[in-house]
Amino acid sequence: MLRIYEKLNKFLKPNKVFQVQLLSSGLRHSSTQQQQDIEPVEKQSPSEEFRRKRVRFNIKAENIQGRPLYLDAQATTPLDPRVLDAMLPYLTNFYGNPHSRTHAYGWESERAVEKAREQVAQLIGADPKEIIFTSGATESNNIAVKGVARFYGTKKKHVITTQTEHKCVLDSCRALENEGFRVTYLPVEPNGIIDMQQMEKALTPDTTLVSVMTVNNEIGVKQPVAEIGKLCRSKKVFFHTDAAQAVGKIPINVNDMNIDLMSISGHKIYGPKGVGALYVRRRPRVRLEPVQSGGGQERGLRSGTVPAPLAVGLGSAAELAQQEMEYDSKWIDFLSKRLLDRLTQALPQVIRNGDPEQTYNGCLNLSFAYVEGESLLMALKDVALSSGSACTSASLEPSYVLRAIGADEDLAHSSIRFGIGRFTTIEEVDYTADKCIKHVERLREMSPLWEMVQEGIDLKSIQWSQH
């Protein structure tokens, strides 16, 4: 019918205007004589508006060549080429076991491992003897939480953590509950930060350990680690922090912050995967029960051969992070602000999850109202991003972190995490912002809820019927 309308307009005489009206019975034509001195008012027809949107929101013509852009720095970071250079000799010629004490092959590997231990210790202001090499932050968290609780379990049976911790900490606490321990899961404020008064009230004479992460892996908020450490020290309670997302990115000093145990990950600071570290304080001494048995390596706390190439990589990455922390921080802050400004200026109802001030800007978690996060991720197939929802792990439940900060379920489902790192460029940020704006607008055009909101309808006042 629209084609008929266009053909009629094309062949009509200048002094005639035909009005074409659609009726249930068909087409009815009526003509009226117009005065030639009156100019017709131009109005964009529905067909033209439809074609304009179709061209603008067309995704079939997108031809993606090469690999996607990478904006998922909280999941992992690329290996810094300088770290690879440091590792290569120990992947080829210097292949000795660092625990072999009877020949040169073992000695040279041991020297490399001890140098790496010093590099990690310098980054956090610790003594090299307090650094235990592990396979990553997950193992470090397991050793710290289970090890301390079990060692002191005959005297104290209470552990405190938060509802927004990493899964490996929460699961370790659940394992302790099955062993008879009492665990307090502290709630967080709507900005994602814990209430120190609640923390102080939760501490009891029976409390043996407090575990609170430094920087959250989903929303990027920074917890008041120094205040928690001071409180725990005054109550003679051990304090563990999962600093996988913080070490090498923000300044940390274990002595100034009164941290007793701290977990570190290699691949979060542009180092290799499969290696991490656990800081265990010596004065005042922290005792823990080893999680795995074996040859008694790493002060008897973590048995197993230390992989020299990976330890060297972690040490090199730690040294580079210490040297370039200030520059990296300024660059990431600049890119994060640029991305956030472009998105919020072009799109209404973009909500930042977590505290905007006490945060690590490299982790930017945004909710786009009335847009399903997974739909947006699928549309942004040329950018590697993460959804703040747990749907990516075959669950329809929204992220437990976003639920903990009180985010509405629809906003929790619409969240996207942008991870900015050392090697992210301005062009990548601008491209991501433009694509995100385009697809959010396209998805909202398809959303009946968005249309209702535009008409001024309060969705929360609607009582939806259930079928």
Side-chain angles (χ1 to χ4, degrees), residues 163-164 186-190 192 399-407:
Q163 295 176 1
T164 57
L186 288 176
V188 294
E189 299 292 311
S399 157
Y400 69 91
V401 173
L402 296 179
R403 281 209 309 264
I405 64 173

Side-chain angles (χ1 to χ4, degrees), residues 55 250 308 414 433 463:
V55 170
I250 62 173
S414 70
Q463 292 185 353

Side-chain angles (χ1 to χ4, degrees), residues 157-161 173-174 176-177 181-185:
K157 284 279 190 178
H158 183 223
V159 175
I160 297 174
T161 188
C173 288
R174 291 191 186 99
L176 291 175
E177 285 183 296
F181 287 85
R182 186 169 61 88
V183 180
T184 299
Y185 300 93

Side-chain angles (χ1 to χ4, degrees), residues 145-161:
V145 175
K146 294 176 182 175
V148 170
R150 287 170 179 169
F151 188 90
Y152 296 96
T154 55
K155 297 178 181 178
K156 297 181 176 182
K157 284 279 190 178
H158 183 223
V159 175
I160 297 174
T161 188

Side-chain angles (χ1 to χ4, degrees), residues 117-390:
R117 204 184 301 275
E118 291 175 9
Q119 290 169 320
V120 174
Q122 286 175 3
L123 177 61
I124 61 173
D127 186 284
K129 293 178 181 178
E130 298 174 314
I131 302 300
I132 306 299
F133 285 117
T134 66
S135 64
T138 292
E139 185 184 3
S140 297
N141 287 335
N142 273 265
I143 294 172
V145 175
K146 294 176 182 175
V148 170
R150 287 170 179 169
F151 188 90
Y152 296 96
T154 55
K155 297 178 181 178
K156 297 181 176 182
K157 284 279 190 178
H158 183 223
V159 175
I160 297 174
T161 188
T162 73
Q163 295 176 1
T164 57
E165 292 300 301
H166 193 275
K167 277 286 186 183
C168 61
V169 171
L170 296 176
D171 286 352
S172 294
C173 288
R174 291 191 186 99
L176 291 175
E177 285 183 296
N178 293 332
E179 296 173 18
F181 287 85
R182 186 169 61 88
V183 180
T184 299
Y185 300 93
L186 288 176
V188 294
E189 299 292 311
N191 62 359
I193 299 173
I194 65 165
D195 183 348
M196 287 302 298
Q197 291 183 345
Q198 282 192 333
M199 167 71 76
E200 191 168 1
K201 287 179 183 177
L203 288 168
T204 70
D206 194 42
T207 306
T208 183
L209 180 72
V210 170
S211 181
V212 179
M213 71 195 321
T214 309
V215 171
N216 188 271
N217 57 302
E218 275 197 43
I219 57 178
V221 296
K222 293 189 289 189
Q223 299 291 352
V225 172
E227 292 180 47
I228 299 170
K230 185 179 179 181
L231 176 63
C232 291
R233 184 61 55 86
S234 69
K235 301 288 185 180
K236 295 184 179 180
V237 174
F238 294 123
F239 174 42
H240 164 255
T241 183
D242 174 7
Q245 299 288 349
V247 167
K249 299 171 184 177
I250 62 173
I252 292 178
N253 186 293
V254 291
N255 294 310
D256 294 344
M257 295 178 171
N258 292 306
I259 296 169
D260 297 308
L261 304 107
M262 185 166 72
S263 303
I264 301 168
S265 175
H267 70 104
K268 299 295 197 300
I269 56 171
Y270 311 94
K273 296 171 182 61
V275 68
L278 174 65
Y279 161 76
V280 182
R281 181 176 290 281
R282 299 187 75 192
R283 291 184 181 87
R285 189 179 183 187
V286 180
R287 306 288 298 275
L288 54 86
E289 185 179 300
V291 172
Q292 67 183 35
S293 307
Q297 293 91 342
E298 297 298 285
R299 287 171 45 196
L301 300 179
R302 199 273 182 184
S303 294
T305 301
V306 174
L310 299 182
V312 168
L314 175 59
S316 177
E319 185 176 55
L320 289 170
Q322 188 173 14
Q323 293 170 358
E324 302 188 1
M325 190 183 300
E326 186 179 355
Y327 175 83
D328 284 350
S329 179
K330 289 178 180 177
W331 178 244
I332 288 168
D333 288 350
F334 165 73
L335 291 179
S336 179
K337 185 177 185 302
R338 186 183 182 95
L339 176 62
L340 182 62
D341 288 348
R342 284 178 78 108
L343 291 173
T344 53
Q345 287 169 11
L347 296 169
Q349 299 202 36
V350 177
I351 298 95
R352 179 172 188 166
N353 296 308
D355 193 276
E357 300 297 330
Q358 294 300 317
T359 187
Y360 169 64
N361 288 316
C363 180
L364 186 63
N365 191 301
L366 302 176
S367 287
F368 300 90
Y370 313 107
V371 172
E372 184 67 31
E374 274 63 42
S375 300
L376 185 55
L377 279 181
M378 290 172 66
L380 295 167
K381 52 184 175 290
D382 48 351
V383 183
L385 296 163
S386 286
S387 169
S389 168

